Amino acid sequence: MASSNFVDYVKIFGRSGKGGAGSRHFRREKYIEFGGPDGGDGGNGGSIVLRGNSQYWTLIHLKYQRHIFAGDGECGSGARSSGKNGKDVVLDVPLGTVARDAETGEIVCEVTEEGQDAVLLKGGRGGLGNWHFKTATNQAPRYAQPGEDCKEGWFILELKLLADVGLVGFPNAGKSTLLSVVSAAKPKIANYAFTTLEPNLGIVECRDSHSFVMADIPGIIEGAHTGKGLGTRFLRHIERNSVLLFMIPADSKDVREEYRILLNELEQYNPELLDKQRLLAVTKSDLLDEELTEAIAADLPDLPTVFISAVSGLHIPQLKDMLWETLQKENG
């Protein structure tokens, strides 16, 4: 993984800018003996902002940019001149990025839309100049507001892929093969476990020029919610999928039991995942004859199921139609 360009977790330190102090200036001009206070306001400190950018699909550009500092606001000056605001720092992030406070784990902000701006750290406000404090009984205030201090802290940025359909299954269940067949994506495919070490996205074209996004999530194993295998690192990517397609090979010992284990891992990680629409694809079904297909179909879990083979193309069009119809119900 050291050479991978896919980075979905970074820890950064941020510091917003200080607000500039207000000015305590008095008007001094020839022939004007008592000009009065005219101190300007201090400028606001710069903020650190996360901006959604669909051209990014990974957080790798922030991996080596660990410390981020916004500009300080400048102090006010005479003639009611306000100080210059500090420069904001805008960080482009992929859609689906979640920012958490590194100490408390609380979510600070989420970025899910193109062009969306989410303030990670707000800059300090500039102080008011002394002219704001002039009253009938205090014609010459010799004080002004200081600027607000900066804010700082460590934050964890996590990427949760946004996709319509997420592929859920044990390693070597045929997820990458299916994605390569139904889309233009070219995930790594081999006959051993954990071939996929990073999520892959593909756009699936179906009838009537419709399309949807499918995500190939690295394989889950029993105990993944506790960190086994690739652990919770990729389980979070399933959270943003609208529909979950469970994939279990036809040569499995017990399709129903494998489905139960997969469902249990999702429930242990996040019970809300069980609220998503689920479908089942029995893969590698080109290995089955009619009698075996009927035997497996008689003992399947109670959810929409299709027997497919990505290699031979068996029932792939039907699968795409089922997924599209389920997405329409989910979004309807």
Side-chain angles (χ1 to χ4, degrees):
M1 288 299 292
S3 61
S4 174
N5 287 328
F6 183 80
V7 175
D8 58 358
Y9 179 103
V10 294
K11 187 175 182 180
I12 62 173
F13 177 82
R15 179 187 296 155
S16 64
K18 299 178 183 178
S23 172
R24 295 177 293 176
H25 192 270
F26 289 87
R27 185 180 178 190
R28 293 290 182 265
E29 292 184 37
K30 194 174 182 181
Y31 307 121
I32 300 178
E33 185 175 358
F34 302 104
D38 70 344
D41 302 339
N44 296 324
S47 299
I48 298 177
V49 179
L50 304 182
R51 177 170 295 167
N53 188 334
S54 59
Q55 300 301 311
Y56 286 79
W57 65 283
T58 172
L59 296 169
I60 192 171
H61 60 293
L62 298 177
K63 185 176 181 180
Y64 303 105
Q65 189 179 348
R66 303 291 299 281
H67 296 82
I68 298 160
F69 305 103
D72 293 335
E74 295 182 359
C75 296
S77 56
R80 298 189 184 183
S81 297
S82 297
K84 188 177 180 181
N85 291 334
K87 187 176 181 181
D88 293 337
V89 175
V90 179
L91 304 176
D92 285 315
V93 295
L95 307 188
T97 299
V98 178
R100 297 179 184 274
D101 186 293
E103 290 188 8
T104 66
E106 294 182 3
I107 294 178
V108 179
C109 58
E110 297 185 53
V111 179
T112 58
E113 299 178 4
E114 172 73 15
Q116 175 190 347
D117 285 346
V119 178
L120 186 66
L121 281 172
K122 187 171 179 59
R125 287 184 302 180
L128 297 177
N130 63 345
W131 74 272
H132 287 279
F133 304 103
K134 179 181 177 181
T135 65
T137 56
N138 186 7
Q139 296 287 317
R142 297 184 179 277
Y143 52 84
Q145 273 187 338
E148 285 185 349
D149 204 359
C150 62
K151 297 178 181 178
E152 63 181 30
W154 283 95
F155 298 91
I156 291 171
L157 303 186
E158 293 179 335
L159 173 60
K160 298 180 181 181
L161 288 181
L162 293 170
D164 298 309
V165 177
L167 304 182
V168 181
F170 287 111
N172 224 17
K175 301 185 297 298
S176 298
T177 303
L178 175 64
L179 185 66
S180 69
V181 168
V182 299
S183 75
K186 301 300 178 186
K188 182 179 179 182
I189 300 171
N191 190 28
Y192 57 83
F194 294 116
T195 309
T196 303
L197 295 177
E198 58 190 48
N200 293 289
L201 291 177
I203 297 176
V204 180
E205 303 283 348
C206 48
R207 67 181 65 195
D208 300 325
S209 300
H210 297 306
S211 64
F212 57 86
V213 179
M214 180 179 284
D216 170 22
I217 310 297
I220 299 171
I221 65 170
E222 190 169 9
H225 70 278
T226 64
K228 291 184 178 179
L230 295 177
T232 59
R233 176 175 178 183
F234 296 115
L235 277 172
R236 66 172 173 268
H237 292 297
I238 300 173
E239 293 182 286
R240 290 279 173 77
N241 302 154
S242 300
V243 174
L244 302 181
L245 177 62
F246 287 76
M247 299 183 62
I248 301 176
D251 55 2
S252 299
K253 291 182 179 179
D254 189 334
V255 173
R256 177 183 285 270
E257 178 61 14
E258 286 203 10
Y259 173 73
R260 185 198 66 78
I261 293 172
L262 289 168
L263 201 61
N264 180 64
E265 289 303 317
L266 299 190
E267 182 179 19
Q268 293 297 319
Y269 175 71
N270 182 355
E272 293 182 4
L273 292 176
L274 300 191
D275 296 333
K276 296 182 180 294
Q277 291 289 333
R278 304 189 295 270
L279 288 82
L280 173 63
V282 180
T283 64
K284 306 178 184 179
S285 293
D286 55 331
L287 304 174
L288 305 176
D289 56 24
E290 187 175 342
E291 184 177 350
L292 280 172
T293 301
E294 292 177 356
I296 293 174
D299 190 35
L300 288 175
D302 185 22
L303 75 162
T305 303
V306 59
F307 287 78
I308 67 168
S309 170
V311 174
S312 68
L314 176 68
H315 294 158
I316 295 299
Q318 291 89 323
L319 172 64
K320 292 196 289 186
D321 288 343
M322 286 176 62
L323 291 171
W324 174 254
E325 291 169 6
T326 304
L327 285 169
Q328 297 316 295
K329 293 178 184 176
E330 182 73 11
N331 299 329

